[in-house]
């Protein structure tokens, strides 16, 4: 039987089914004399090459392995075949090598291939995102282009214009309208916008209409300006420049006013008491001149005695002697007033470039002459009676009472209604204060004073009873103005009705009242001699008074 090679024996071991017993040991072959003995396992050629021929594994035990063989296990001597379990060693070796190779491959994959794959994936994702973004931008650009094309094909635009101040005119694309306005349906193109208003600089702007999106403009116009030159003779006159009812500039001539808005103005010049007014129109970028020569003179005023107040145009301008300079060429009324002297009025004619002199002698004030009616300083009309004294034409009004006393207690308010709700003491105090004021001004005759009338004096000027009895003018709604009351034969008003009038006479614990009043409680009065009394401190809405002026011992 031919000898199996080493490779064949390995294949036989690998292909043997699992669980098969050990291979039958080969029978030893006795070499023939002609054959040379097979070399031992340890034999090597001279060149160090492994011996040729099959490899024979020896199972001969060494001395260390000496022992009894296990039961049933054959004892082979000399050369033997591969043991039955050694194929597993080879399998495990192969598996270990394969596992190691696989591990190396896995490590190489994780360390080298995987990062490259991840980088490649990230790069691809970035490229994809960029492509998506570019695609979106392209879509948006195309949409905008389409919209622009739609607008371009519409061929119209809109301009919304407003301007301050109001009233300006706007011109655009061949059309003109008052601001604010809208210019719609304008063909696409470039146009000039012009906003104009008299007295203001024109606003000009070039506007390009490219689509139908409204274009808005709000314009603030700048006033056009000119120059105003003001000169006067003599110099030093005060001037004011008026626009309508407003004063926009003021100063002293000569003056040059720059950058004055164009338009119409009133120029007022004043030198002392002389005044001049002139209308001018300031033109754009031009100088407008105002030149005026005042024709003025002087007035010297003297009086005997000196120290009198000089009233010029209703105001006190000094005391005599005094000089009024810079008066215009004209006639003026001058009034001289001095305490304890009668006022004096004079007329002075002023001549340009000259001085006019006025000298007056003042007369002493002796009061109103007896036998003539007069009006007191508070407007109280006094009527002269043949009995030798004056009596007020009507009851004392609320305005007169307020001027003297400083308060008004009346219930029925009205400047020209009789003062009411006044006590006898308040009426007497009024007489005392009015006397002191008029006496200080020496406007009363010597020894005369204001007072309440006595009952007999009142009955004397009241006159006979009127037909129909006493008239209660205010009926049940209050008093009425004193000038509306009927007058008697002496011209005295309101003797009957309106308010009861306090008299000087006492009567028991009070004072006498005569004449009847507006309240219904006194409507029973039928004769002028009817009377009533009241305490001196009683105030009633129907109580008032009138005064007399007569000579007394006080």
């Amino acid at each position: 039987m031919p000898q199996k090679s080493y490779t064949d024996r390995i294949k036989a071991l690998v292909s043997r089914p699992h669980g098969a017993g050990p291979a039958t040991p080969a029978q030893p072959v006795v070499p023939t004399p002609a054959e040379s003995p097979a070399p031992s396992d340890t034999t090597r050629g001279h060149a160090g090459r492994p011996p040729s021929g099959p490899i024979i594994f020896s199972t001969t035990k060494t001395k260390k392995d000496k022992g009894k063989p296990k039961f049933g296990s054959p004892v082979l001597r000399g050369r033997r075949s591969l043991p039955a379990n050694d194929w597993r060693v080879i399998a495990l070796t192969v598996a270990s090598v394969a596992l190691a190779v696989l591990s190396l491959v896995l490590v190489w994959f994780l360390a080298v291939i995987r990062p490259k794959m991840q980088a490649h994936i990230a790069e691809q994702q970035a490229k994809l995102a960029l492509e998506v973004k570019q695609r979106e931008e392209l879509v948006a650009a195309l949409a905008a282009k389409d919209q622009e094309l739609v607008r371009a094909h519409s061929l119209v635009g809109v301009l919304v214009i407003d301007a301050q101040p109001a009233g300006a005119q706007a011109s655009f694309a061949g059309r003109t309208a008052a601001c604010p306005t809208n210019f719609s349906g304008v063909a696409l193109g470039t146009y000039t916008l012009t906003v104009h208003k008299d007295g203001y600089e024109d606003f000009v702007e070039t506007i390009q209409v490219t689509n139908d999106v409204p274009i808005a403009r709000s314009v603030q116009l700048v006033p056009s300006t000119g120059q105003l030159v003001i000169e006067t003779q003599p110099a030093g006159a005060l001037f004011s420049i008026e626009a309508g009812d407003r004063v926009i500039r003021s100063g002293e001539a000569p003056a040059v006013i720059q950058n004055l808005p164009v338009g119409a103005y009133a120029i007022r010049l004043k030198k002392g008491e002389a005044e001049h007014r002139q209308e001018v129109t300031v033109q754009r970028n031009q100088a407008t001149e105002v030149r005026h020569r005042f024709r003025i003179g002087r007035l010297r005023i003297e009086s005997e005695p000196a120290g009198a107040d000089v009233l010029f145009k209703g105001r006190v301008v000094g005391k005599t002697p005094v000089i009024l300079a810079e008066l215009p060429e004209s006639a003026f009324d001058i009034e001289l007033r001095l305490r304890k002297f009668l006022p004096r009025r004079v007329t002075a004619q002023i001549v340009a470039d000259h001085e006019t002199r006025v000298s007056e002698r003042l007369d002493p004030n002796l009061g109103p002459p007896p036998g003539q009616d007069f009006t007191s300083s508070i407007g109280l009309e006094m009527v002269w009676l043949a009995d030798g004294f004056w009596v007020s034409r009507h009851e004392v009004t609320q305005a007169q009472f307020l001027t003297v006393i400083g308060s008004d207690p009346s219930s029925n308010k009205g400047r020209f209604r009789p003062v009411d709700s006044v006590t006898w003491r308040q009426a007497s105090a009024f007489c005392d204060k009015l006397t002191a004021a008029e006496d200080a001004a020496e406007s009363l005759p010597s020894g005369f004073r204001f007072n309440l009338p006595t009952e007999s004096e009142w009955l004397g000027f009241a006159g006979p009873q009127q037909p129909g009895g006493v008239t209660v003018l205010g009926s049940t709604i209050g008093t009425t103005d004193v000038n509306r009351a009927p007058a008697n034969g002496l011209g005295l008003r309101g003797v009957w009705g309106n308010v009861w009038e306090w008299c000087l006479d006492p009567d028991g614990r009070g004072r006498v009242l005569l004449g009847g009043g507006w309240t219904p409680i006194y409507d029973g009065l039928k004769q002028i001699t009817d009377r009533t009394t009241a305490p001196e401190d009683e105030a009633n809405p129907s109580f008032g008074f009138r005064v007399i002026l007569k000579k007394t011992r006080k």
Side-chain angles (χ1 to χ4, degrees):
M1 182 176 182
Q3 185 69 32
K4 294 182 179 181
S5 66
Y6 172 78
T7 302
D8 293 336
R9 278 183 282 178
I10 290 300
K11 290 180 179 180
L13 287 175
V14 173
S15 61
R16 187 176 56 185
H18 180 70
T24 304
Q27 295 296 325
V29 179
V30 179
T32 61
E35 297 175 353
S36 61
S40 64
D41 295 334
T42 59
T43 303
R44 297 286 186 269
H46 296 287
R49 293 190 300 272
S52 61
I55 298 176
I56 305 298
F57 292 90
S58 174
T59 60
T60 305
K61 295 184 179 180
T62 64
K63 290 182 180 181
K64 291 181 182 180
D65 296 331
K66 286 183 179 180
K68 293 183 179 180
K70 291 183 180 180
F71 178 77
S73 59
V75 178
L76 300 179
R77 297 183 184 275
R79 292 187 298 178
R80 300 184 59 185
S81 62
L82 190 65
N85 294 327
D86 286 346
W87 64 273
R88 294 179 179 168
V89 175
I90 297 173
L92 291 175
T93 300
V94 173
S96 299
V97 172
L99 183 60
V101 172
L102 182 60
S103 298
L104 290 175
V105 172
L106 181 60
V107 170
W108 173 76
F109 176 80
L110 294 176
V112 179
I113 301 301
R114 185 183 180 188
K116 291 184 177 181
M117 293 179 64
Q118 290 177 340
H120 179 72
I121 293 173
E123 182 180 358
Q124 294 300 320
Q125 290 177 344
K127 289 182 178 180
L128 180 60
L130 181 60
E131 291 177 356
V132 171
K133 182 178 180 181
Q134 292 176 346
R135 187 179 299 108
E136 291 176 350
E137 291 177 351
L138 180 60
V139 171
L142 291 175
K145 189 64 176 178
D146 291 341
Q147 188 175 7
E148 187 70 22
L149 291 175
V150 171
R151 290 176 178 173
H153 285 296
S154 65
L155 298 178
V156 293
V158 179
L159 174 65
V160 181
I161 179 69
D162 188 16
Q164 292 296 329
Q169 295 287 325
S171 299
F172 185 75
R175 288 181 281 175
T176 301
C179 296
T181 187
N182 295 345
F183 292 102
S184 59
V186 179
L188 303 187
T190 301
Y191 303 92
T192 299
L193 169 65
T194 303
V195 181
H196 172 80
K197 180 177 174 62
D198 291 341
Y200 292 83
E201 296 293 326
D202 287 348
F203 175 85
V204 179
E205 181 184 1
T206 300
I207 297 177
Q208 186 177 12
V209 180
T210 58
N211 50 47
D212 60 351
V213 176
I215 301 173
R217 289 292 185 273
S218 181
V219 178
Q220 180 65 51
L221 296 178
V222 178
S224 300
T225 60
Q227 186 182 79
L228 180 63
V229 180
I230 302 176
E231 295 181 358
T232 62
Q233 289 293 334
L238 301 178
F239 71 86
S240 62
I241 304 174
E242 301 176 357
D245 57 353
R246 296 183 303 110
V247 176
I248 62 172
R249 296 283 183 89
S250 60
E252 182 177 322
V256 177
I257 311 300
Q258 303 284 357
N259 299 322
L260 187 65
V262 301
Y265 298 95
I267 311 300
R268 291 186 180 273
L269 303 174
K270 182 177 177 63
K271 184 66 174 175
E273 296 296 328
E275 295 184 2
H276 173 71
R277 185 178 187 275
Q278 182 175 339
E279 302 285 343
V280 298
T281 300
V282 177
Q283 303 292 336
R284 181 173 180 266
N285 297 331
Q286 296 183 13
T288 302
E289 296 183 353
V290 175
R291 304 180 187 275
H292 180 71
R293 180 182 182 274
F294 286 98
R295 296 184 58 80
I296 54 179
R298 290 159 49 99
L299 174 63
R300 178 184 294 272
I301 305 173
E302 301 173 349
S303 69
E304 179 62 36
D309 290 333
V310 179
L311 276 73
F312 180 81
K313 293 184 177 181
R315 68 181 189 277
V316 176
V317 295
K319 294 181 179 294
T320 57
V322 65
I323 296 177
L324 303 182
E326 300 177 341
L327 295 180
E329 190 175 48
S330 181
F332 294 95
D333 290 331
I334 309 296
E335 184 176 353
L336 304 178
R337 290 182 182 179
L338 184 63
R339 187 170 177 267
K340 299 183 180 181
F341 288 84
L342 295 176
R344 175 67 62 88
R345 288 179 176 271
V346 295
T347 300
Q349 180 66 47
I350 306 300
V351 179
D353 304 325
H354 289 78
E355 180 180 278
T356 302
R357 182 173 179 269
V358 172
S359 181
E360 295 291 328
R361 177 179 296 276
L362 303 180
D363 298 326
N365 183 5
L366 302 178
Q372 297 182 10
D373 298 347
F374 77 96
T375 301
S376 71
S377 61
I378 63 171
L380 196 60
E381 298 181 31
M382 304 301 294
V383 178
W384 174 258
L385 300 180
D387 295 335
F389 62 90
W390 287 274
V391 61
S392 59
R393 187 178 300 278
H394 50 70
E395 294 135 337
V396 175
T397 65
Q398 295 178 28
Q400 294 164 349
F401 191 87
L402 180 64
T403 300
V404 176
I405 301 299
S407 61
D408 179 15
S410 301
S411 299
N412 304 286
K413 295 295 184 182
R415 286 178 49 84
F416 301 108
R417 291 187 178 191
V419 62
D420 64 65
S421 302
V422 62
T423 67
W424 183 89
R425 295 183 184 276
Q426 289 174 326
S428 296
F430 175 88
C431 295
D432 294 339
K433 288 190 175 183
L434 180 59
T435 300
E438 298 289 354
D439 189 57
E442 295 194 1
S443 59
L444 296 179
S446 178
F448 279 72
R449 72 182 306 274
F450 289 96
N451 210 338
L452 296 175
T454 64
E455 183 175 2
S456 60
E457 291 170 340
W458 191 95
L459 292 174
F461 61 68
Q465 179 184 1
Q466 287 184 336
V470 175
T471 302
V472 183
L473 293 175
S475 67
T476 61
I477 60 173
T479 59
T480 189
D481 290 353
V482 293
N483 289 326
R484 293 183 58 193
N488 64 4
L490 298 176
L492 306 182
R493 295 182 177 276
V495 177
W496 303 277
N498 221 0
V499 291
W500 287 88
E501 298 178 9
W502 284 108
C503 291
L504 187 63
D505 306 271
D507 186 351
R509 297 182 179 180
R511 299 284 178 168
V512 174
L513 294 106
L514 296 172
W518 65 272
T519 52
I521 190 173
Y522 300 113
D523 283 350
L525 181 64
K526 297 300 181 183
Q527 302 293 332
I528 60 173
T529 56
D530 286 355
R531 61 200 290 273
T532 187
T533 60
E536 295 179 354
D537 295 328
E538 180 177 340
N540 188 286
S542 65
F543 288 179
F545 68 99
R546 75 175 67 225
V547 298
I548 63 171
L549 177 63
K550 69 178 182 178
K551 192 170 185 177
T552 64
R553 295 181 180 180
K554 292 184 180 180

